[in-house]
Amino acid sequence: MSDRPVRHPWSRNLPSGFAAPVLWDSVVIGSGMGGMTCAALLAALGQRVLVLEQHYVPGGFTHSFKRGKYHWDVGVHAVGEVTERSMPGRLLAGLTRGRLQWASLGPVYDAFAFPDGLELGFPDNPQAFRALLHDNFPDERAAVDAYFARVREVSAAMRSYYLARLAPPSAHVFADMFTRTARRAFGETTQHALDRLTGDSRLKTVLAAQWAYHGAPPSKASLAIQALVTKHFMWGGYYPVGGSAAIARELLQTVADAGGYTRISADVAQIVLEDGAAVGVRMRDGEEIRARRVISAAGVASTLQRLLPREVADTRWAASVRALPPAPAHVCLYLGFKGDIRSAGAGPFNQWYYNTWDTEADFWDISDPARLSEAPVLYCSFPSLKDPAYDPGPEQRHTGEVVTFVPWDRFSGWLGSRWKRRGDDYDSFKRSLQDSLLAQFLSKMPGLRPLVDHVELSTPLSTETFVRPTRGSIYGILPTPERFSNPYLRPRSKIAGLFFAGSEVATVGVIGAMMGGALAAAAVDPVGATRLLRGL
């Protein structure tokens, strides 16, 4: 790697001392977790990589923003498998030379409150988790044990599954022969699997209670994705020291150290094809950037809809991807507090408030803003308590976030409007949602009411503006059996020179997107990536 000193690993333009080459080794579209991981891994393999980010802040769903003295993360609330105990943790440590540090959320990382008064704190080790379920469902010990066995089975099969994703789409039938266990789990719904294990509806809800980490209710979710979420947090949840912005800062520094760079406010209009192969990108202002290969980390479905010529988008393989439904959109209530929020019940762990035992109630009904009901579930996070590097100051300024899913169609009528200038009707609708969500949250944690100092709601239109997923989806394509049976959601595309990175070629969430980035880099340089990963 180059020893050239770099003050900032990103800017709108290449800084002095970084002469832009005529041909980059790789151009990565999008600086989400998948794009950053792919770029950093390729940089570690000696490539000069240019990362292009349309937002003025890099990081995708790992970026943060601030209002005055408060700052919030937009998508990182808890991440598992980031210690040296797991390959993802070792990979992140290797790609950042140990600069990226993680703090545990504590012995309980997720606390659940259910409608009949049942409260469960999911612990940070599998033995305690099993004991917790045995104690609360003593007649269902066999079902609990059988579920843990399925989780182990799926987890053990994932290495072969990921390796099979490196095969080109045309070889998927041969590659899939080696991943039968994983494919069987990906092909079964969570609901079907749980129905086979137990008739206890409350236990089934508890086992599937973390479905919001992947976005698909049990009747739609692949069993494998639910099992992987369970396995992901078996040893607890973690948070990046310094906040989620540290993830982008450290991964993109690795890119810059190798002679690459990240351009922000860099809006890609189209992937340039010549003789059927990707040779670069055309920016919104007409600038063309050439590269030996193009890696899109903007989402496979979004790439097909937004960045490729019509003749590609209309092909049968592209249509099969576009037909897959997206995961749900969401609203997030960003809160600023003054005072001791710990004494009011807040903690570094995430707090889930279920208003129903029905995990199929996947959206908040916001069809009539004058008669808003309670959201089925509220997911509450206090990032300022998670970060040991955070200084609340003498006023004890802290932050909170409240998330729930909403239907995209209720917002699609304002598509094309400008951020913060969407019109009085939108502002009125947004205010109704904000007031209702705040009231619901404070009814769960009333001790926080006198400490509230700032309130702000983001909607799926904010997601659309700053991240540009399909239909405002926070998780990309919905993790259904149909998604995982599609042969084209792989890092190596049907187009020569074009690769895909991110969660849609792997699994869901921060680490799922990271694995999708690692797979893309491995598809670009199989020998180098294999050597690097084996070294970890």
Side-chain angles (χ1 to χ4, degrees):
M1 292 186 180
S2 168
D3 292 325
R4 179 190 289 111
V6 180
R7 289 186 179 180
H8 303 287
W10 61 78
S11 69
R12 284 179 172 79
N13 299 294
L14 292 173
S16 59
F18 276 77
V22 175
L23 193 69
W24 293 87
D25 291 322
S26 296
V27 164
V28 176
I29 304 170
S31 67
M33 193 65 189
M36 292 190 295
T37 301
C38 178
L41 211 162
L42 291 176
L45 296 175
Q47 288 199 22
R48 203 172 189 202
V49 183
L50 177 64
V51 181
L52 300 172
E53 171 55 55
Q54 61 93 21
H55 191 12
Y56 54 80
V57 179
F61 282 115
T62 73
H63 87 266
S64 61
F65 73 99
K66 64 181 181 179
R67 297 284 186 266
K69 295 183 179 180
Y70 297 110
H71 62 267
W72 299 267
D73 304 323
V74 301
V76 177
H77 305 107
V79 185
E81 300 182 283
V82 291
T83 68
E84 292 188 358
R85 186 192 298 268
S86 66
M87 170 56 79
R90 294 192 294 274
L91 177 59
L92 281 172
L95 292 180
T96 63
R97 295 182 175 176
R99 298 185 303 262
L100 183 59
Q101 299 292 307
W102 298 85
S104 170
L105 301 188
V108 168
Y109 66 92
D110 272 353
F112 292 84
F114 294 99
D116 63 358
L118 177 66
E119 295 185 356
L120 296 175
F122 282 16
D124 65 350
N125 72 81
Q127 293 79 20
F129 189 25
R130 186 191 299 266
L132 174 75
L133 297 177
H134 282 173
D135 290 345
N136 283 275
F137 299 93
D139 295 334
E140 298 293 330
R141 294 172 67 94
V144 169
D145 292 346
Y147 178 73
F148 276 79
R150 289 301 303 271
V151 170
R152 288 195 303 273
E153 179 186 58
V154 172
S155 302
M158 287 309 295
R159 180 178 180 181
S160 297
Y161 177 81
Y162 281 137
L163 289 174
R165 307 307 288 172
L166 294 174
S170 58
H172 75 91
V173 174
F174 175 76
D176 288 348
M177 290 173 59
F178 299 96
T179 61
R180 290 177 181 173
T181 299
R183 286 192 301 109
R184 184 169 63 250
F186 277 116
E188 184 179 10
T189 67
T190 300
Q191 188 65 61
H192 182 264
L194 294 179
D195 285 345
R196 292 173 59 194
L197 291 176
T198 179
D200 189 319
S201 60
R202 293 167 76 255
L203 175 59
K204 286 188 281 189
T205 292
V206 170
L207 292 176
Q210 292 173 303
W211 71 268
Y213 280 131
H214 56 71
S219 67
K220 299 177 182 178
S222 160
L223 167 64
I225 203 67
Q226 183 64 47
L228 289 172
V229 165
T230 301
K231 182 254 184 182
H232 181 67
F233 290 113
M234 277 292 188
W235 295 100
Y238 293 80
Y239 186 80
V241 176
S244 67
I247 300 174
R249 182 174 63 248
E250 302 304 346
L251 285 173
L252 296 179
Q253 185 65 62
T254 297
V255 176
D257 287 346
Y261 214 70
T262 299
R263 283 176 60 178
I264 57 173
S265 300
D267 198 353
V268 176
Q270 193 172 57
I271 296 169
V272 177
L273 303 182
E274 290 182 359
D275 298 324
V279 297
V281 297
R282 183 175 298 111
M283 309 303 289
R284 190 69 59 186
D285 62 5
E287 176 190 6
E288 284 199 7
I289 299 173
R290 295 274 166 156
R292 291 185 172 87
R293 64 195 60 81
V294 176
I295 299 130
S296 178
V300 180
S302 186
T303 299
L304 292 171
Q305 292 182 21
R306 302 174 191 250
L307 300 179
L308 286 167
R310 175 62 62 186
E311 59 267 24
V312 174
D314 287 343
T315 59
R316 182 176 298 177
W317 73 268
S320 74
V321 173
R322 292 202 316 273
L324 297 170
H330 75 292
V331 291
C332 183
L333 191 67
Y334 293 99
L335 301 170
F337 303 100
K338 283 184 182 180
D340 182 9
I341 63 174
R342 286 183 185 270
S343 65
F349 50 88
N350 302 302
Q351 297 176 242
W352 303 63
Y353 293 99
Y354 268 91
N355 292 311
T356 175
W357 282 98
D358 182 9
T359 48
E360 293 301 307
D362 50 353
F363 292 110
W364 182 21
D365 182 1
I366 57 173
S367 56
D368 184 356
R371 294 183 176 84
L372 290 172
S373 60
E374 283 191 322
V377 61
L378 300 180
Y379 176 84
C380 309
S381 170
F382 299 92
S384 61
L385 297 181
K386 299 179 182 187
D387 182 6
Y390 178 79
D391 180 8
E395 294 181 297
Q396 294 195 72
R397 291 179 182 266
H398 287 282
T399 53
E401 300 166 359
V402 183
V403 181
T404 196
F405 292 131
V406 291
W408 162 254
D409 289 342
R410 192 62 181 83
F411 299 88
S412 59
W414 287 288
L415 267 179
S417 59
R418 294 181 61 187
W419 179 52
K420 291 190 174 182
R421 298 182 182 180
R422 304 194 192 277
D424 292 342
D425 55 343
Y426 173 79
D427 291 340
S428 176
F429 178 51
K430 181 177 175 180
R431 171 62 67 176
S432 297
L433 300 183
Q434 177 176 300
D435 292 346
S436 176
L437 201 56
L438 178 62
Q440 292 178 56
F441 169 69
L442 293 177
S443 73
K444 307 297 184 184
M445 303 188 71
L448 290 171
R449 186 180 299 276
L451 308 182
V452 175
D453 181 56
H454 179 92
V455 183
E456 180 174 347
L457 185 79
S458 75
T459 75
L461 294 174
S462 302
T463 307
E464 162 67 24
T465 296
F466 296 116
V467 188
R468 295 184 183 174
T470 302
R471 293 172 62 86
S473 170
I474 191 174
Y475 291 129
I477 296 172
L478 195 70
T480 61
E482 292 74 23
R483 163 185 164 161
F484 293 105
S485 66
N486 188 293
Y488 305 110
L489 293 176
R490 297 172 183 268
R492 187 181 300 275
S493 82
K494 292 273 288 183
I495 300 169
L498 175 63
F499 298 82
F500 295 126
S503 64
E504 291 182 354
V505 301
T507 52
V508 178
V510 173
I511 297 301
M514 189 203 81
M515 292 305 299
L519 287 174
V524 169
D525 185 354
V527 175
T530 299
R531 186 183 305 117
L532 187 151
L533 293 172
R534 281 181 176 172
L536 298 174

